[in-house]
Amino acid sequence: MALAGSDAGANPAASTEKWSSRFAFIMAAVGSAVGLGNLWRFPAETGVNGGGAFVIFYIFCVVLIGLPVLLSETLIGRAGQSSAIESMKNVARKSGASPLWSLGAAVGMVGAFLILTFYSVIAGWVIYYAGVFINDVSSSLSSGNISGGAFAGMNADAIQDILPALHKNADMMIAMHALFMAITIFVVARGVHGGIEKVAVWLMPMFFLLFLGVTIYSLSTGDTSRALDFLFSFDAQRLLDPKVQLSALGQALFSLSLGSAMMITYGSYASRDTNLAKTSGMIATADTSVAIIAGLAIFPIVFAAGLSAEGGPTLLFATLPTAFQSMPFGSIIGLLFFVMVFFAALTSSVALLEASVSWAVTRFNANRAMLAVGFGLVAFVIGTWASFSFNSQSKLYLLNFGIFEEQNVFNFLDKLTGSVLLPVSALLVAIFVGWVADKQLVDEENGMSGAPHMIWRFLIAWLCPLVIGVILITGLFPQIVG
Ligand code: PFF
């Protein structure tokens, strides 16, 4: 049952592209994982879900669910040697199972595509804020006050108003969303080598450098002890709240780019000598560290400025700039901060678009650049619709129950992907690798032996399906647990 790397060549849907090195694979995969999910969504979700309880459950989900699923997804990709759906079909065929199992990747691919729609809207805000800080740096330079805080002379309300003003300015918001989507399309159109890999190899090291700088700055100027307390002390009652649990599971999957066909796609570009277990461990460690450190960097600034942690999706945008006002070198730090977020967002959005583009390239043997433009344009239009959510009271009554009750389009897409599509895809992947795929084939790919191997087998076959299944049901239908 062994799948030799070369027999993929006989398959018309085989992928021909490969990362040029293990470093490139790690940077691209970490680049996909680290993004707005860590810097914008994690602090926002932590804030609205009560801090510590959410964080503890999130870490539990990363270690016991995220990591085993991450390894499973990359190994399906490498064993299947094609786009996500085709890879899963290939592995199913080789295991004598129904190709319908590729539904797992199909659900993920739709999820990734829908995430891209609103991801680009938020990344558009990031570009806008970088512009605001460029202006601010230049005015502080001309007034000779660069060592002071940002937005000199502006009152706090006016700073808080930057975001609502952007929301009212639909043309500007759509233009920024268009700009970000255009950059994403450009990178994906250039292919795995010429685009995705180049961007990751250059931007991710720069991201880590900036991240380190901003974190040291924040810890030395902000209210760290309150942030630590908020992130790690918890109320046991909330730990048992199914909605908190579902949000934490969704966040773990979202942050590691799991359940979205994406890690299968990137795994298929990995060479045979890459140890997938080790690489998965590195990706998960890097991603989780960035999320926790981002919390440690953001909350001290927020608390030091006496602001609330419960800003939700606007936390990063409305709260932080206010905080930069009272910080030394506030305009420069603000600019560096948003440039850093932009880098992280771009390496993730290219992965989101790549999941569907690579599928269509292999499935229809079509031109990559045209597909990137086509998918990107559709995502842009849906994203534009979602972006109106911020300036109107309109709600979507499509699925009007539980977590979906009276949500606007933006929140609806966020919840549909994070709390339904990604967990469902991850659940199917876990059952597939744990029970359906040929054991020998799986074991040849995973690069593990001994106790770690047995633990992984147990987690993927038993714990992951059980926990994801239970959390999905109780989170979506909380009335079941009363
Ligand atoms: N992991 C990314 C983040 O945390 O921002 C978001 C993401 C990228 C999710 C790619 C899914 C994906 F396929």
Side-chain angles (χ1 to χ4, degrees), residues 32-38 112 115 119 254-257 260 262 348 351-352:
S32 139
V34 173
L36 294 175
N38 308 61
I115 292 174
Y119 206 82
F254 186 97
S255 191
L256 290 168
S257 306
S260 53
M262 203 257 106
S348 299
L352 288 165

Side-chain angles (χ1 to χ4, degrees), residues 87-102 432:
S87 286
M88 219 164 158
K89 259 190 210 157
N90 288 346
V91 175
R93 277 200 203 99
K94 290 188 181 275
S95 309
S98 160
L100 274 181
W101 279 101
S102 63
F432 179 70

Side-chain angles (χ1 to χ4, degrees), residues 29-42 58 73 108-109 111-113 115-116 119 251-263 266 287 344-345 347-353 355 422:
V30 171
S32 139
V34 173
L36 294 175
N38 308 61
L39 305 166
W40 159 73
R41 203 172 184 274
F42 175 74
Y58 165 78
E73 294 203 355
M109 191 181 85
F113 181 77
I115 292 174
L116 176 64
Y119 206 82
Q251 176 60 23
L253 298 176
F254 186 97
S255 191
L256 290 168
S257 306
L258 296 175
S260 53
M262 203 257 106
M263 285 295 176
Y266 275 20
D287 185 66
T347 51
S348 299
S349 65
V350 298
L352 288 165
L353 181 57
L422 304 193

